[in-house]
Amino acid sequence: TTGDETDANTPGEGKAKVESVGLMLQDISNPFFAAMQTSMTEEAKKQDFKLNVQDGRQDLAAQNDQIDAFIQQGVDLILINAVDSEGIASGVARAQAAGVTVVAVDVDATGADAAVTTDNVEAGRLACQSLVDKLGGKGNILIVEGTPTTAPQERVKGCEEVLAKNPDIMVVGRQAGKNDRASGLALTTDMLTANADVNGIFAINDPEGLGADLAVQQAGRDGIVIVGVDGSPEAVLALKDDKSNFWATPAQDPGGMALKALEVGQEIVGGNKPADRVTLLNPTIVDRDNVGEYGGW
Amino acid sequence: MDQVLEDSPLLEVRGISKRFGATQALSDVSFDLRPGEVHALMGENGAGKSTLMKIIAGTYSPDSGSIHMMGNQIVMASPRDAMTAKVGIIHQELNTFPEMSVAENLAVGNEPTTSFMLNRRKMISDAREKLERVGAVNIDPRTPIGRLSVGMQQMVEIARAVAEDVKVLVLDEPTAALSMSESKQLFGLIHQMRDRGMGLIYISHRMEEVWELADRVTVFRDGKLVGTKDMRAAGRDAVSPNDIVRMMVGRDVDDLYGREERELDKVRLEVRDLTDGGAIGPVSFDVRAGEIVTMVGLIGAGRTEVGRLLYGADKVAAGTISLDGRQIRVRNPGDAVAKGIGMLPESRKDQALFLEMSVRDNTAMSTLGAFSTFGVLNFRRMKSKVDEIFTSLRVRAASQSIESRSLSGGNQQKLVLGRLMLEKPALMILDEPTRGVDIGAKSEIYRIIKEIAATGTAVLVISSDLPEALGISDRLLVMREGRIVAEMDAQSATEEVVMEHATGVYADQNPRMTHEQP
Amino acid sequence: MGFWWDKVGIFAVLVLLCIFMSIMAPYFLSIDNGLNVARSVSINAILAAGMTMIIITGGIDLSVGSILAVSGVTGVLLFVAGVPSPLALLGGVAAGALAGFINGAFVAWLALPAFIVTLGSMTYLRGIAYSLLEGQPLISSDLGYRAIGNGAVAGIPTPVVVMVVVYLVFWFILERTKFGRHVYAVGGNMEAARLAGINVKKVLLAVYTIGGAAAGLAGIIFSARVLSAQPTAGQSYELDAIAAVVLGGTSLMGGRGRVIGTLVGALIIGVLTNGLVLMNVPFFYQLIVKGVVIVIAVAIDSLRRFGKSGT
Amino acid sequence: MGFWWDKVGIFAVLVLLCIFMSIMAPYFLSIDNGLNVARSVSINAILAAGMTMIIITGGIDLSVGSILAVSGVTGVLLFVAGVPSPLALLGGVAAGALAGFINGAFVAWLALPAFIVTLGSMTYLRGIAYSLLEGQPLISSDLGYRAIGNGAVAGIPTPVVVMVVVYLVFWFILERTKFGRHVYAVGGNMEAARLAGINVKKVLLAVYTIGGAAAGLAGIIFSARVLSAQPTAGQSYELDAIAAVVLGGTSLMGGRGRVIGTLVGALIIGVLTNGLVLMNVPFFYQLIVKGVVIVIAVAIDSLRRFGKSGT
Ligand SMILES: Nc1ncnc2c1ncn2[C@@H]1O[C@H](COP(=O)(O)OP(=O)(O)OP(=O)(O)O)[C@@H](O)[C@H]1O
Ligand SMILES: Nc1ncnc2c1ncn2[C@@H]1O[C@H](COP(=O)(O)OP(=O)(O)OP(=O)(O)O)[C@@H](O)[C@H]1O
Ligand SMILES: [Mg+2]
Ligand SMILES: [Mg+2]
């Protein structure tokens, strides 16, 4: 559809020229997803394809409409970061029926040709294992949950698996925030008031964890270990900051994940289905001890 | 009066025109006001009187023409400009702030301050002073104005305008909501102001008032000035009310009330010891089929309240209501309509009209059930029935689908009357049926009321217009402080006697009444 | 220009917008995309139809998004529990009507301000939607009434067909029935309506119940579209619905408005959203453009008022 | 019971709620927690103060949450760009005032309905907040005016001190100045206000600008509290602010209301949120309880109206 065909990127073995890509993110206002946008925008310039990025605003119906608009535009490939992995299935099917390749990113999407995801359950496991280890297997902790969408819920699930194996860890408070710094701060402040003896906090992502960190500092409480999830730049700063109580974050690489999904998608369009439908990118734990070696997003 | 002043008008408008959409409200009107005179404006509803006044007061800007004060052309771009020019106005419609106290209402736009802070104490003392000036001493400046009756609120509005140190005062139907005694008080005030050399423009549909007050009368018709009669120069006898009516309506209205004998049938409405549990009642009275009974009294006497109790608009605490010999309980207005009671409320704008709906919908609103099958409206039936009503009431409306907002006051009043007629009620309560209605429309409304009575309907009128009450009724009920204090035959009653009972101040000890109730 | 503009006003804005989009966005002007827009508009349009009636009475319903969620969840739960799908569908709509009825009860009987009543119910209904499913979406790929979200009738997507039927029904109720006249009367002058013998409370109760039922229907379509019960569904939809109503010329003061205008308003929002996606406008700028267009649209529309009053 | 209840009404609800929480939630009744509640309430309370004034004129401002975001972002961006922190702070407040002024211009000059104007600006201002930062939060741990969010004056958290000052100022403006009277007059009867010589447009413009400035101040506090510029800040805060105003007895019809009531309303919401968290009530049930309490609170409060009208 674009008139000026340049051969800047030579299709590798089986890699086909993908001319236009639709990227659907569940919530661009979250830095994690915004990082996907950034890396894809750069890549689009580099490889010279058309990129259309849409924000799902945590709304499944909006994502459905966006799929229809992408079909309309005749994109070759949709990279979808669904609000809900199964709720998006009907939209995915429509896209495929229209001949569009669909690759799920970060969160699997039922029926997608392929998926490149982080194991969010594993991320939750890693975070809480790190917390439990740091606490020496016992203590009182708080959990700051997120919005009731797939990724935050899986992280909590992973954490609970670890906690189940550590009966000396008591969850004394759990509240759900909005995945952001402000709600992490507000909820933690209140939970700290209700619980004089808190040793650790698990937050489902870094913004909430960093908000919890602010709450702990403002409350003048010492020795509380905080873990988040994501490995975001702010978390890295906190890990290097002496005043901070932030201890660890399982790092994911949103930008890399999006690029990987692009690559898989290009392969599929070129006729090479990957052996495994799902490419799992496992998170690695970044903590105060190894933060120096972490490359960041 | 100084000769020079006499010659140069205080206020003069030249060649004013104003158009609203398709309506030419004023065309090329020139008009003047001299110091020390009361200049009355008369004309049918929609003739353009209020529009001209609003232009003088800076509310509207004219499409063409100019305004001059004492020979100098001035620009009236906003109400502020009018204030600066010392032009005061009492608008036809109430312009109160219902959530504010009387004192705050009186101060709005001109709040007393010390340094930059509000001076509330002064606000209240100022208010007392202003109220005193118009003789409304019984109003507490701290009451929220929304709790006062319409008449009381009107007195506050008058106090607000009069208190200004104004040179020109416009009074646009100030007495429409007032009863005789408040009106008298106002007239005294008007005389004082005139004698101080102020110029007053007085708009009214009540010929008696104009006759009592005016030095000159100017008549408007269809946005044009028809003519001016100088009664001071020519002498009052040189002009007759009929001359003016003819200028207004274009024909004679010789017998406004058209008094005639009516056949009275059996008692339709029987009210016994009705009370709201508070200031109203207990009242007892009857109205017979075909009879027109009018409740008169001062504002706040409780007439409206009695009407509302009968109609189920307010809660009855005790007492009985019987219609055609059967005792009924009226729970709410819907119930009242179903049981054969109809009411024309006191304030058509606030309580009766749906201004944005068509005149047809307005007329049929209470009887839509009769025009529908299974809730689906039959427009043809509705249209022809409304047509019928409009013809018999002589409603002037461009079509049935225009918004009722665009009708003149008199025609709006007829819409509501038409609504009642469609209900075919056994009892019709008419609260101030001719408030703000021009003389031509008035005579028609009187004719309609009598026609309704002639069909055997019991008609209970509430009126503050004494000549009207005396003119159209068979019987009068005089109310004071929530009770009926006297009942009399309208034929033999006089204004003086009615006033004595209404005020409780008896001049002679031999009242010509049929009997007095306890 | 009074009359002509009065009728045409906002419709002209829609036409202009479509012309603009056809020029700027390739793919915009096609039957398929037209159907896309209609389908994506359908849920908001159905919410907005009920909202129109409520706003005409001088009220408002902030809880429509939450009602949508509760109804969608109820429908799917019923189906999953084995209730025959037509009944499950009706159950969802009934849940919406019940939620609306409760709103109406507070507004009509206790005379509480609709804004705060529905702000409250927006919150507790969301909580109910979550707790019905413990926060997890419930997937039902074989949902019995999936066709209402994904099917098509003679090439027209079913949600669009439902939307058209809903608008015909609302138009009929408002324009052609006694009840419709009463709705306008209550909104135009509540005291006058009462004194004219209208049972104001009953009208209010009915209007909120109907609005709730419409939101319930929208919830059913939503869940059929995504083949699952989503407790997060419909968040902040109330604002889009209200925007459609107001763009369509219905006054928030009550007493005036037409459901056809609302449909045009909903289409404006839908065309705008769709067109901006097709034009590949970055998300942040979409928000800016959308906000500005909403303000400009009402500004243009208000010209007719200026035209009318002559000032 | 008229007068007494009139004054006390919603305050009694607050007291009851506090008593209930003291019994149910350990730690609720402590100075520290009291300060927590006050601090967490401060942002909403400041938004609600401006909202009160706007609602008294019969208007509404749905954009306060977005203004908060834009102002917070502006302040941090200025600081990061090297502007001295008092000026950066003022810059943020000024950005809020400007946004409010634009709202006011549409409402006052074009006579557009405030609801739709601010619905539009809510959308475009959010877009602006995002695009200023390209969607990413900007962390600034050494923010020059961090004390306004995290500091304390004589043991009282600074945001609480700011809140109290804001309320004193608003109380003074509304109760003790001529401008305040004009605000009530415009809301009570706009036409009458115009006829009384009040410059209605100027009043409206001023009120929206002041409301915007208050939201701007809230934005500064927000960003100082989280030590960063957050483009997502303040989403749906407008509803909490309006809830506080209405709970506080201000009529959405305009002309009536008091800023002290709003503070009580904001505290009710704050105490409720805090208490439910202290009681460790799960999120879903919090929503249910919160929604129900809001409705019950206005219902209780409306008793006074019934008491008054006697029906
Ligand atoms: N704001 C307005 N918009 C449109 N038309 C108006 C407006 N104000 C007045 N009119 C029309 O202008 C004409 C003159 O109205 P105006 O109020 O001046 O009459 P009036 O002589 O005062 O009548 P009344 O005796 O009933 O008070 C009427 O046809 C009226 O409908
Ligand atoms: N001095 C007063 N101060 C306050 N309220 C008053 C006063 N006098 C009367 N009212 C109010 O007026 C109402 C009774 O007047 P109502 O309207 O029934 O009388 P009315 O005879 O029809 O007079 P109007 O001509 O004003 O309608 C009551 O609600 C009462 O509270
Ligand atoms: Mg007039
Ligand atoms: Mg009366």
Side-chain angles (χ1 to χ4, degrees):
Chain A
T1 41
T2 41
D4 51 331
E5 289 273 319
T6 48
D7 244 357
N9 92 306
T10 25
E13 328 82 6
K15 231 187 196 182
K17 169 72 181 161
V18 167
E19 286 169 357
S20 72
V21 176
L23 172 63
M24 298 173 50
L25 300 171
Q26 53 172 293
D27 187 1
I28 298 188
S29 68
N30 185 330
F32 185 81
F33 302 111
M36 292 187 184
Q37 180 187 23
T38 312
S39 69
M40 282 291 289
T41 312
E42 279 165 16
E43 193 66 13
K45 262 191 220 122
K46 218 186 297 168
Q47 294 194 20
D48 188 33
F49 59 82
K50 244 172 86 182
L51 177 69
N52 192 342
V53 186
Q54 291 305 325
D55 182 23
R57 282 162 281 145
Q58 303 285 13
D59 182 346
L60 208 44
Q63 287 203 321
N64 260 290
D65 293 339
Q66 286 162 2
I67 289 181
D68 290 334
F70 281 157
I71 296 172
Q72 202 54 44
Q73 271 185 316
V75 298
D76 306 314
L77 172 63
I78 292 177
L79 303 183
I80 186 161
N81 165 232
V83 173
D84 186 85
S85 55
E86 294 177 80
I88 201 69
S90 61
V92 171
R94 278 201 304 282
Q96 286 167 333
V100 183
T101 302
V102 180
V103 178
V105 190
D106 183 43
V107 172
D108 199 356
T110 306
D113 296 285
V116 179
T117 69
T118 342
D119 190 339
N120 276 306
V121 181
E122 174 65 9
R125 258 185 236 125
L126 281 177
C128 282
Q129 190 59 55
S130 170
L131 177 64
V132 169
D133 293 347
K134 181 73 185 165
L135 293 179
K138 66 177 203 298
N140 295 333
I141 67 162
L142 305 175
I143 298 182
V144 188
E145 299 185 32
T147 52
T149 43
T150 308
Q153 286 175 333
E154 285 182 355
R155 294 174 187 178
V156 173
K157 198 169 143 223
C159 181
E160 282 169 340
E161 286 176 20
V162 173
L163 296 180
K165 290 182 210 140
N166 292 277
D168 289 341
I169 299 278
M170 294 289 300
V171 178
V172 293
R174 62 191 299 164
Q175 289 292 325
K178 296 174 187 159
N179 303 352
D180 67 348
R181 205 169 161 109
S183 60
L185 168 57
L187 290 172
T188 308
T189 303
D190 285 345
M191 285 194 286
L192 288 175
T193 307
N195 300 283
D197 185 17
V198 172
N199 311 103
I201 299 172
F202 164 64
I204 56 88
N205 68 2
D206 286 346
E208 281 190 354
L210 293 166
D213 187 18
L214 286 176
V216 170
Q217 291 181 36
Q218 284 177 13
R221 302 275 274 266
D222 287 327
I224 295 181
V225 180
I226 301 171
V227 296
V229 176
D230 281 352
S232 68
E234 302 90 73
V236 171
L237 282 179
L239 287 176
K240 292 174 178 166
D241 179 357
D242 288 338
K243 282 182 305 202
S244 166
N245 303 286
F246 206 71
W247 167 249
T249 173
Q252 316 197 56
D253 178 9
M257 202 174 352
L259 295 182
K260 179 72 189 165
L262 174 67
E263 197 187 311
V264 170
Q266 285 167 330
E267 295 277 354
I268 295 174
V269 174
N272 294 336
K273 276 219 167 221
D276 288 323
R277 199 185 71 86
V278 181
T279 312
L280 260 186
L281 299 180
N282 272 327
T284 50
I285 194 84
V286 179
D287 59 23
R288 277 183 187 267
D289 295 337
N290 70 3
V291 64
E293 297 139 41
Y294 175 55
W297 289 1
Chain B
M1 188 67 50
D2 189 351
Q3 193 57 43
V4 183
L5 268 182
E6 194 81 17
D7 281 343
S8 83
L10 193 52
L11 173 83
E12 193 183 0
V13 301
R14 294 186 197 146
I16 296 269
S17 296
K18 177 74 183 173
R19 189 180 186 85
F20 295 107
T23 317
Q24 187 72 43
L26 289 172
S27 37
D28 195 22
V29 170
S30 298
F31 166 92
D32 68 273
L33 175 70
R34 297 171 197 148
E37 78 162 344
V38 175
H39 195 152
L41 285 190
M42 298 198 77
E44 295 184 277
N45 293 119
K49 306 178 293 291
S50 297
T51 303
L52 181 61
M53 294 308 110
K54 285 177 181 167
I55 287 172
I56 289 174
T59 311
Y60 294 153
S61 48
D63 298 338
S64 61
S66 57
I67 304 172
H68 306 258
M69 282 284 282
M70 290 177 290
N72 303 318
Q73 183 168 346
I74 55 168
V75 179
M76 291 285 196
S78 75
R80 262 276 161 229
D81 291 341
M83 283 172 202
T84 317
K86 304 277 177 234
V87 174
I89 182 165
I90 297 163
H91 286 279
Q92 182 172 4
E93 311 290 346
L94 280 179
N95 282 294
T96 53
F97 303 92
E99 307 285 355
M100 291 189 180
S101 70
V102 169
E104 288 169 324
N105 265 277
L106 286 168
V108 163
N110 234 330
E111 296 84 354
T113 48
T114 36
S115 59
F116 63 100
M117 275 172 60
L118 273 186
N119 186 340
R120 280 180 187 274
R121 196 166 306 157
K122 183 158 189 308
M123 208 149 100
I124 295 196
S125 64
D126 283 0
R128 284 229 167 77
E129 202 174 293
K130 288 174 188 174
L131 289 169
E132 207 163 304
R133 206 169 317 169
V134 297
V137 281
N138 56 344
I139 300 178
D140 182 342
R142 285 164 302 192
T143 340
I145 201 166
R147 292 198 200 166
L148 298 185
S149 71
V150 178
M152 294 287 186
Q153 294 189 34
Q154 181 68 34
M155 290 306 286
V156 176
E157 292 262 275
I158 292 169
R160 175 156 74 162
V162 167
E164 310 279 348
D165 148 40
V166 292
K167 293 203 184 79
V168 172
L169 181 64
V170 176
L171 301 101
D172 197 348
E173 299 191 34
T175 54
L178 299 187
S179 69
M180 209 70 162
S181 83
E182 288 85 6
S183 300
K184 287 264 182 290
Q185 214 150 17
L186 178 63
F187 297 164
L189 199 66
I190 289 175
H191 283 128
Q192 276 175 31
M193 292 189 282
R194 175 180 63 187
D195 296 343
R196 284 210 310 269
M198 280 170 59
L200 296 106
I201 302 176
Y202 189 89
I203 300 178
S204 176
H205 290 297
R206 293 186 184 168
M207 189 60 79
E208 315 84 52
E209 296 177 359
V210 169
W211 224 244
E212 181 176 343
L213 289 171
D215 299 304
R216 286 196 291 168
V217 181
T218 290
V219 174
F220 277 65
R221 200 156 95 208
D222 296 335
K224 294 188 198 71
L225 194 149
V226 180
T228 301
K229 297 268 179 205
D230 193 332
M231 284 140 80
R232 195 192 282 179
R236 266 171 216 270
D237 301 338
V239 193
S240 83
N242 255 333
D243 297 339
I244 291 175
V245 172
R246 214 174 302 120
M247 282 165 78
M248 278 169 57
V249 197
R251 62 184 162 90
D252 279 323
V253 179
D254 25 50
D255 187 3
L256 187 56
Y257 305 115
R259 183 174 284 286
E260 63 197 34
E261 282 303 316
R262 264 184 301 276
E263 297 252 323
L264 299 189
D265 210 334
K266 59 186 187 313
V267 172
R268 282 211 102 151
L269 173 73
E270 224 180 299
V271 178
R272 292 293 172 268
D273 302 322
L274 189 69
T275 172
D276 71 345
I280 306 301
V283 294
S284 302
F285 62 92
D286 296 337
V287 183
R288 303 168 68 149
E291 188 181 24
I292 301 176
V293 174
T294 302
M295 289 202 279
V296 293
L298 303 183
I299 56 169
R303 299 159 299 165
T304 297
E305 307 273 320
V306 170
R308 288 173 61 91
L309 287 176
L310 289 173
Y311 191 58
D314 293 330
K315 266 219 167 56
V316 174
T320 60
I321 303 168
S322 306
L323 213 53
D324 293 324
R326 273 220 337 268
Q327 191 174 322
I328 55 170
R329 231 187 100 229
V330 187
R331 279 168 313 205
N332 54 49
D335 202 22
V337 173
K339 288 176 175 153
I341 301 177
M343 183 174 85
L344 179 136
E346 186 168 28
S347 160
R348 63 173 170 265
K349 207 178 83 182
D350 297 331
Q351 300 173 331
L353 286 172
F354 307 99
L355 291 170
E356 274 145 3
M357 297 181 80
S358 71
V359 295
R360 182 196 310 141
D361 289 343
N362 266 281
T363 311
M365 190 55 80
S366 293
T367 45
L368 287 176
F371 301 112
S372 49
T373 26
F374 301 115
V376 179
L377 292 172
N378 180 335
F379 279 104
R380 197 171 316 153
R381 199 138 40 98
M382 198 160 140
K383 210 170 162 174
S384 74
K385 197 75 199 170
V386 170
D387 246 337
E388 219 172 89
I389 289 280
F390 278 16
T391 316
S392 85
L393 297 185
R394 294 184 206 150
V395 173
R396 258 189 282 169
S399 89
Q400 284 196 14
S401 4
I402 59 168
E403 289 185 358
S404 66
R405 174 193 300 285
S406 64
L407 290 196
S408 75
N411 280 305
Q412 288 178 341
Q413 197 77 344
K414 287 187 204 167
L415 285 192
V416 188
L417 267 174
R419 185 191 295 169
L420 290 190
M421 287 169 70
L422 283 174
E423 289 170 23
K424 298 202 177 63
L427 166 68
M428 201 182 264
I429 304 162
L430 306 170
D431 197 348
E432 310 286 0
T434 61
R435 174 173 290 175
V437 168
D438 71 46
I439 196 159
K442 251 184 206 170
S443 78
E444 287 185 34
I445 288 174
Y446 298 146
R447 172 183 62 80
I448 294 160
I449 292 175
K450 276 178 292 195
E451 281 175 17
I452 292 169
T455 63
T457 307
V459 180
L460 179 64
V461 179
I462 296 166
S463 176
S464 296
D465 186 336
L466 260 192
E468 163 182 300
L470 291 166
I472 61 165
S473 338
D474 298 304
R475 212 148 36 91
L476 296 180
L477 301 172
V478 186
M479 284 196 70
R480 188 173 75 227
E481 289 164 9
R483 288 157 187 259
I484 295 174
V485 293
E487 183 179 338
M488 58 191 80
D489 183 48
Q491 298 277 1
S492 53
T494 65
E495 293 189 15
E496 290 73 29
V497 177
V498 173
M499 285 304 292
E500 282 177 359
H501 288 294
T503 56
V505 182
Y506 296 95
D508 76 68
Q509 289 304 312
N510 183 23
R512 281 157 291 178
M513 59 174 174
T514 47
H515 72 277
E516 172 139 12
Q517 292 195 340
Chain C
M1 64 185 185
F3 182 75
W4 175 82
W5 186 251
D6 209 8
K7 291 262 174 211
V8 166
I10 201 70
F11 189 70
V13 175
L14 175 62
V15 171
L16 283 177
L17 196 64
C18 286
I19 293 175
F20 176 81
M21 288 299 176
S22 308
I23 297 168
M24 297 302 291
Y27 317 105
F28 177 82
L29 204 65
S30 69
I31 291 183
D32 268 4
N33 191 55
L35 291 179
N36 274 350
V37 172
R39 182 168 43 202
S40 70
V41 154
S42 60
I43 287 175
N44 181 36
I46 291 172
L47 293 179
M51 187 73 84
T52 306
M53 202 183 256
I54 291 173
I55 289 181
I56 289 174
T57 66
I60 200 154
D61 189 352
L62 300 178
S63 68
V64 288
S66 298
I67 294 182
L68 179 148
V70 168
S71 302
V73 169
T74 306
V76 174
L77 277 179
L78 288 176
F79 176 76
V80 168
V83 175
S85 62
L87 285 183
L89 188 159
L90 284 180
V93 175
L98 177 64
F101 178 85
I102 294 170
N103 284 339
F106 281 106
V107 173
W109 291 334
L110 294 185
L112 300 184
F115 199 99
I116 195 81
V117 166
T118 58
L119 183 60
S121 59
M122 164 181 165
T123 312
Y124 69 69
L125 289 171
R126 178 67 60 194
I128 289 173
Y130 282 135
S131 31
L132 281 174
L133 292 175
E134 289 172 353
Q136 303 285 349
L138 175 64
I139 310 299
S140 169
S141 323
D142 59 344
L143 193 62
Y145 49 83
R146 55 181 299 163
I148 205 175
N150 295 312
V153 178
I156 314 281
T158 327
V160 179
V161 175
V162 174
M163 170 182 86
V164 170
V165 171
V166 165
Y167 271 81
L168 287 176
V169 169
F170 272 81
W171 174 85
F172 186 82
I173 293 179
L174 283 173
E175 297 289 323
R176 289 277 179 269
T177 71
K178 174 178 157 181
F179 174 71
R181 298 291 90 187
H182 287 179
V183 168
Y184 283 98
V186 166
N189 188 338
M190 196 175 291
E191 179 61 10
R194 195 174 82 90
L195 291 177
I198 295 171
N199 191 333
V200 172
K201 292 182 182 176
K202 224 154 103 183
V203 171
L204 288 176
L205 210 54
V207 159
Y208 283 87
T209 307
I210 293 172
L217 183 58
I220 290 293
I221 295 176
F222 188 106
S223 56
R225 191 109 206 272
V226 301
L227 294 176
S228 56
Q230 299 280 346
T232 54
Q235 249 153 353
S236 86
Y237 279 21
E238 67 282 355
L239 293 180
D240 269 353
I242 296 170
V245 174
V246 178
L247 281 176
T250 296
S251 157
L252 285 166
M253 310 308 293
R256 200 163 32 143
R258 287 157 71 220
V259 82
I260 299 304
T262 300
L263 187 56
V264 175
L267 284 171
I268 287 180
I269 297 173
V271 165
L272 200 56
T273 308
N274 171 274
L276 291 171
V277 173
L278 292 183
M279 281 161 71
N280 215 355
V281 174
F283 171 62
F284 309 146
Y285 299 109
Q286 284 186 25
L287 286 180
I288 300 180
V289 173
K290 220 169 140 179
V292 170
V293 170
I294 287 176
V295 175
I296 292 180
V298 274
I300 291 181
D301 191 41
S302 84
L303 285 176
R304 67 181 172 168
R305 275 181 295 139
F306 282 99
K308 208 192 278 178
S309 75
T311 47
Chain D
M1 63 184 188
F3 184 76
W4 176 83
W5 187 251
D6 210 7
K7 292 263 174 207
V8 165
I10 199 70
F11 189 69
V13 175
L14 176 61
V15 171
L16 283 176
L17 196 63
C18 286
I19 293 175
F20 176 81
M21 288 300 176
S22 308
I23 296 168
M24 296 302 291
Y27 314 105
F28 177 82
L29 206 65
S30 69
I31 293 183
D32 264 9
N33 191 52
L35 292 179
N36 270 352
V37 172
R39 182 168 46 198
S40 70
V41 154
S42 59
I43 287 175
N44 182 35
I46 291 172
L47 292 179
M51 188 72 85
T52 305
M53 202 184 254
I54 291 173
I55 289 182
I56 288 175
T57 66
I60 200 154
D61 189 351
L62 299 178
S63 69
V64 287
S66 298
I67 294 181
L68 178 147
V70 168
S71 303
V73 168
T74 307
V76 175
L77 278 179
L78 288 175
F79 175 76
V80 168
V83 174
S85 61
L87 285 183
L89 188 158
L90 284 180
V93 175
L98 176 64
F101 178 85
I102 294 169
N103 284 339
F106 281 106
V107 173
W109 291 335
L110 293 185
L112 300 183
F115 198 99
I116 194 81
V117 166
T118 58
L119 183 61
S121 59
M122 164 180 163
T123 311
Y124 68 69
L125 289 171
R126 179 67 59 192
I128 289 173
Y130 281 137
S131 30
L132 282 174
L133 291 174
E134 290 174 350
Q136 298 286 349
L138 175 63
I139 311 292
S140 169
S141 319
D142 58 343
L143 192 64
Y145 49 81
R146 54 181 300 165
I148 205 177
N150 297 314
V153 178
I156 315 280
T158 328
V160 178
V161 174
V162 174
M163 170 183 85
V164 169
V165 171
V166 166
Y167 271 81
L168 287 175
V169 169
F170 272 82
W171 175 85
F172 184 83
I173 293 179
L174 283 172
E175 297 290 321
R176 289 279 178 266
T177 71
K178 205 163 157 160
F179 174 72
R181 292 288 86 198
H182 291 182
V183 169
Y184 283 97
V186 166
N189 187 341
M190 195 175 291
E191 182 58 17
R194 203 171 77 85
L195 295 177
I198 294 173
N199 191 333
V200 172
K201 291 181 183 177
K202 226 154 99 183
V203 171
L204 287 175
L205 212 53
V207 160
Y208 282 88
T209 308
I210 293 173
L217 184 58
I220 290 294
I221 295 176
F222 185 101
S223 57
R225 200 141 147 62
V226 300
L227 294 177
S228 57
Q230 301 276 351
T232 54
Q235 248 154 354
S236 86
Y237 280 22
E238 67 282 354
L239 293 180
D240 270 352
I242 296 170
V245 174
V246 178
L247 282 176
T250 296
S251 157
L252 285 166
M253 308 309 293
R256 194 168 39 132
R258 287 155 73 220
V259 83
I260 298 304
T262 300
L263 187 55
V264 175
L267 284 171
I268 287 180
I269 297 173
V271 165
L272 200 56
T273 309
N274 171 272
L276 291 171
V277 172
L278 292 186
M279 285 159 68
N280 211 7
V281 173
F283 172 60
F284 312 146
Y285 300 111
Q286 283 188 27
L287 287 179
I288 299 180
V289 173
K290 222 169 140 178
V292 169
V293 169
I294 287 177
V295 175
I296 291 180
V298 274
I300 291 182
D301 190 41
S302 85
L303 285 177
R304 65 178 175 171
R305 276 183 293 136
F306 282 99
K308 211 192 275 178
S309 76
T311 47

